[in-house]
Amino acid sequence: MAGTALQRRLTWLTAQVRDNRSESPSVHRLVLDVPGWPGHRAGQHVVVRLTAEDGYTAQRSYSLASPPEEPDLHLLVARLDGGEVSPYLTDELRADDQVELRGPIGGFFVWSAAADRRDAQEGRRPVQLVAGGSGVAPFAAMLDHHRRTGSPTRLRLLYSASTQEEILARDVLGPETTVTLTRGVPAGWSGEAGRIDADMLRRRTFPPDEDPRIFVCGATMFAEAVSSSLLDLGHSPSSIRIERYGSSGEPS
Amino acid sequence: MTEPAGPSDTTAARRLDGNAAAGALADLFAVDVTTARSRCPSCGKTSMLGAHHLYADAPALVLRCPHCTDVVLRYATQQGRILLDLRARLLTIPAPAPANESNGA
């Protein structure tokens, strides 16, 4: 593992909304300009803070879906009916509006091409990503980072979406990605169908003898099911890093 | 568009990862401790704090050992104070890298 970095004091930064567009029927893509952004690594997250007129505040964590090479920050925000924060972010926020955020946060769930260059032994291990729903956000950053740096690290993504319309970050999904649809496939669909299980993992991901570094991101129950299947296949617990985002999808 | 939850185990469904506590812990530590290895005071096994189980909906953030589920760290803010109950027996923290390598880009 590469040495950790000294953290800057995490202060609240003011982000200006450049764009807020529909990414899928249930998810919006927020594009933010953040003056003073110190840079990030693919996989890190930010905390977004909303403050009401009466001073009440609510905070939520979101993974950065854009790579370090991209100056704007992209968030993929799933709209949760009855949610305290996400309906505001998806429905109310307009270009030129401002939100507060702090970050980048977390050095555990990250992949960096530069770290693989520094640590040749680690860099030889392939990287396996497994996403459920909007859990693909940090992996969109990793795939884009991988492509833009021309990294030689072997990388694959197995991505579970509910329907074809709900596939996110299509612009960065390439031949390294296998998509499985859990609620029916359209005519002519060439990907997988159904929930990710041990059999699909065996067919579509790096096997244990290649000693992959595995990242799993999705709702808590999804992450639990995938990680337990991975252990059944013979992957070691220390090779699996998990980012669960809770049953509601709105981690606090 | 989360996956539909399976048979509801409410404790499991509330579980997050130590990684999600990184923001709060950054208020306190000069380095990112989610990549620090922590030895459990109860079972003695070590794992990274980011891989611990996090329960964020309790009055405090509660980090539990992923092996034996015993409490390793509690963190709360109260009336302008930070309360830290650190029970981990030993934290092994990667030494900071030079500042010019802080961004892996």
Side-chain angles (χ1 to χ4, degrees):
Chain A
M1 184 182 57
T4 190
L6 263 181
Q7 317 194 99
R8 292 159 49 101
R9 212 82 214 114
L10 280 178
T11 53
W12 291 99
L13 299 167
T14 301
Q16 184 139 4
V17 179
R18 277 199 199 279
D19 194 14
N20 183 359
R21 57 180 183 260
S22 178
E23 176 85 2
S24 80
S26 70
V27 175
H28 269 234
R29 179 180 291 257
L30 248 59
V31 181
L32 305 172
D33 172 35
V34 188
W37 181 249
H40 65 279
R41 289 178 288 161
Q44 289 189 296
H45 64 272
V46 295
V47 173
V48 174
R49 176 167 73 178
L50 301 178
T51 306
E53 281 174 14
D54 63 4
Y56 174 78
T57 65
Q59 300 182 10
R60 292 293 182 275
S61 299
Y62 291 99
S63 293
L64 293 166
S66 49
E69 294 76 17
E70 166 70 40
D72 288 339
L73 303 184
H74 291 223
L75 310 182
L76 295 175
V77 180
R79 188 189 192 290
L80 296 152
D81 291 326
E84 212 175 22
V85 172
S86 66
Y88 175 81
L89 294 179
T90 56
D91 303 351
E92 308 290 332
L93 214 52
R94 302 274 181 274
D96 296 329
D97 285 350
Q98 295 185 335
V99 291
E100 288 181 295
L101 63 76
R102 61 178 209 159
I105 295 168
F108 177 70
F109 200 82
V110 300
W111 174 74
S112 141
D116 277 10
R117 277 199 302 276
R118 287 196 297 269
D119 185 342
Q121 193 179 349
E122 190 75 350
R124 271 193 295 275
R125 300 175 66 194
V127 171
Q128 180 65 55
L129 313 173
V130 185
S134 56
V136 77
F139 302 151
M142 291 184 195
L143 288 179
D144 207 354
H145 174 60
H146 185 267
R147 190 157 305 140
R148 294 193 197 200
T149 55
S151 167
T153 298
R154 290 181 304 143
L155 178 150
R156 296 179 78 178
L157 165 65
L158 177 57
Y159 171 23
S160 171
S162 56
T163 63
Q164 191 175 29
E165 293 70 37
E166 290 291 357
I167 299 173
L168 310 176
R170 294 158 190 260
D171 54 325
V172 297
L173 304 182
E176 77 292 303
T177 298
T178 302
V179 177
T180 182
L181 300 179
T182 57
R183 294 187 204 157
V185 299
W189 176 251
S190 59
E192 291 279 342
R195 302 250 194 120
I196 294 174
D197 57 12
D199 180 57
M200 195 185 297
L201 287 166
R202 185 162 43 235
R203 287 183 286 109
R204 296 294 202 171
T205 62
F206 291 111
D209 61 14
E210 295 213 47
D211 193 24
R213 293 166 280 173
I214 306 175
F215 296 83
V216 180
C217 185
T220 295
M221 299 310 285
F222 169 88
E224 301 273 331
V226 168
S227 56
S228 102
S229 294
L230 287 166
L231 294 174
D232 289 345
L233 288 175
H235 293 281
S236 95
S238 64
S239 69
I240 304 171
R241 296 193 179 198
I242 306 172
E243 183 146 274
R244 304 165 177 88
Y245 54 66
S247 50
S248 71
E250 279 208 1
S252 54
Chain B
M1 53 176 277
T2 58
E3 295 292 299
S8 66
D9 172 342
T10 50
T11 304
R14 286 170 46 225
R15 186 181 301 154
L16 299 173
D17 309 280
N19 183 41
L25 294 173
D27 284 336
L28 208 51
F29 294 96
V31 296
D32 176 22
V33 291
T34 57
T35 59
R37 296 197 72 85
S38 166
R39 182 179 295 161
C40 175
S42 182
C43 72
K45 291 184 177 151
T46 65
S47 44
M48 285 196 217
L49 280 183
H52 279 51
H53 294 165
L54 171 69
Y55 296 90
D57 54 356
L61 292 175
V62 180
L63 277 175
R64 290 178 175 273
C65 171
H67 302 285
C68 74
T69 75
D70 207 14
V71 173
V72 167
L73 181 153
R74 293 189 304 150
Y75 176 102
T77 53
Q78 198 180 75
Q79 296 169 340
R81 292 187 168 84
I82 292 173
L83 307 181
L84 178 71
D85 177 5
L86 183 58
R87 303 181 187 181
R89 203 184 292 162
L90 176 69
L91 276 183
T92 310
I93 303 166
N100 62 1
E101 293 182 23
S102 65
N103 181 2

